[in-house]
Amino acid sequence: MEYILVVDDDPVSLLFMSSLLKRCGFQIVSAKNGLEALSILAENPNIQFVLSDWIMPEMDGIELCTKLKELEFDRYIFFVLLSGKDDQRSIIDGINAGADDFIVKGTDVKELEARVKAGFRTLELHNKITDKNQELDSAYATIRKDLDAAGDLVRQLLPTQTNFTGVELNYMSIPSAQIGGDMLGYMQLDPDHLAFYLFDVAGHGVSSALMSFSVQQSLSVVGGPSSIVKDINNNIIPPEDVIDKLNKLYISDDKIQLYFTMIYAVLNVKTGEVDYCSAGHPPLVWHHSQTEQAELIGDDNFVVGAFDFVEYKASSIQLNPGDKIWLYSDGITEAEKDNTQFSEDGLRKTIMDIHSHPTHLQTELLVNRVRTWQESDTFEDDVSVLAVEWKGYSKQEDDSCNTKLTTKVNAQFFR
């Protein structure tokens, strides 16, 4: 039903216009001035079309139009200003007040009917768009809820225990959105070896997060025929072979064009030897406890999942007690201020600056240092940082401590 509220203080004009529009098939409600019109609109939410005279007592047509076009009004009103004046200044004033159309009294009946019908077509289109927007808002709310749940699941995948025999680890993981493509982890392969890794899936959003979840699941299987970190004889698979297996598992095709950078390392907790493979990832930072210096190390391997012809190579380093290995994603080194990046060298220097603090505080100190530098608490990309300190091997400690994970929690996950 198409309702029109006709507003005019002249009873004759009001009756004439109402009768005319009724004959055109419209349902008419009338008001004598702007205040009465507001009251009628408040009681009749189905009315969205107003045809109002300009000059009226108490509240004229311009004032009424202004009220109805304010953002706090509860619905969209198609407003037609009716006037006895047919001059450019009057038309401009009416349109500037927010009127959708301007009709001069005495306009031909056919023209009046055509303009009113055009107004209702505009109303219909507006209402359809409003309904679609409400549907989109509802869908977005559902998606956001699902993403929040996915983010909670990702947090559950991150490790909680941070102390192993002779080793202390600490990390921070900060997704730039509800879910990100960064992931890190570590696991005890056997009583003498600890594996740790960090990878960064290209892009953002659901597809990157799903690949990150899948890669994490592939790495988390420590034993059995489906493990890629230990063979069927329970021997530890070298880092370069682990990454090669991941490359074969996640090689891109025409439908899925995702890849990731990664560092995977195995630490001998008794000797301090680290075997690692870096695949397209930013270099490790090796902090030397004896000299208090830090250096960038890494190999120039291809990313994972992009090419099927790649051969990966690994490297080894020998840690001294107190040395730390830092893994990180490029979200922290590529943080920007005034078109300048924090950089890998900036990260290396910061690690040297904070080395005297306890290991369990250093990742937070590092991230906060970057926040202060960029003068912003938020990051444009996912940020992940993992610090691994080898404390040295003690046979007494080994004899008194089993190799199961402890429950001490130093890691932090920030949204």
Side-chain angles (χ1 to χ4, degrees), residues 90-151:
S90 298
I91 295 174
I92 292 174
D93 290 343
I95 299 300
N96 284 339
D100 298 286
D101 202 357
F102 187 94
I103 297 177
V104 178
K105 289 181 178 180
T107 296
D108 180 78
V109 176
K110 294 296 184 182
E111 180 183 343
L112 174 64
E113 182 181 7
R115 285 187 155 185
V116 171
K117 288 182 176 179
F120 274 108
R121 287 196 298 271
T122 301
L123 263 178
E124 182 182 12
L125 177 60
H126 177 275
N127 290 339
K128 285 182 178 179
I129 293 174
T130 299
D131 291 343
K132 289 296 183 181
N133 284 338
Q134 289 175 348
E135 292 176 10
L136 288 173
D137 288 343
S138 178
Y140 176 75
T142 301
I143 292 171
R144 186 176 183 86
K145 182 179 179 181
D146 290 343
L147 289 175
D148 286 339

Side-chain angles (χ1 to χ4, degrees), residues 93-235:
D93 290 343
I95 299 300
N96 284 339
D100 298 286
D101 202 357
F102 187 94
I103 297 177
V104 178
K105 289 181 178 180
T107 296
D108 180 78
V109 176
K110 294 296 184 182
E111 180 183 343
L112 174 64
E113 182 181 7
R115 285 187 155 185
V116 171
K117 288 182 176 179
F120 274 108
R121 287 196 298 271
T122 301
L123 263 178
E124 182 182 12
L125 177 60
H126 177 275
N127 290 339
K128 285 182 178 179
I129 293 174
T130 299
D131 291 343
K132 289 296 183 181
N133 284 338
Q134 289 175 348
E135 292 176 10
L136 288 173
D137 288 343
S138 178
Y140 176 75
T142 301
I143 292 171
R144 186 176 183 86
K145 182 179 179 181
D146 290 343
L147 289 175
D148 286 339
D152 291 338
L153 177 60
V154 169
R155 285 191 290 277
Q156 293 175 19
L157 295 176
L158 291 165
T160 55
Q161 293 80 15
T162 59
N163 278 14
F164 295 79
T165 302
V167 182
E168 182 177 357
L169 305 98
N170 184 246
Y171 69 84
M172 286 189 71
S173 180
I174 309 172
S176 59
Q178 289 163 294
I179 52 176
D182 283 10
M183 184 59 70
L184 57 84
Y186 40 83
M187 60 269 190
Q188 190 97 49
L189 298 177
D190 63 24
D192 295 345
H193 295 89
L194 177 74
F196 53 92
Y197 56 87
L198 190 151
F199 59 87
D200 181 2
V201 180
H204 300 280
V206 175
S207 58
S208 296
L210 286 174
M211 174 171 273
S212 177
F213 175 84
S214 179
V215 175
Q216 174 79 332
Q217 294 303 102
S218 297
L219 288 165
S220 65
V221 181
V222 178
S226 60
S227 176
I228 64 171
V229 297
K230 297 180 76 175
D231 63 23
I232 58 175
N233 296 317
N234 213 32
N235 296 313

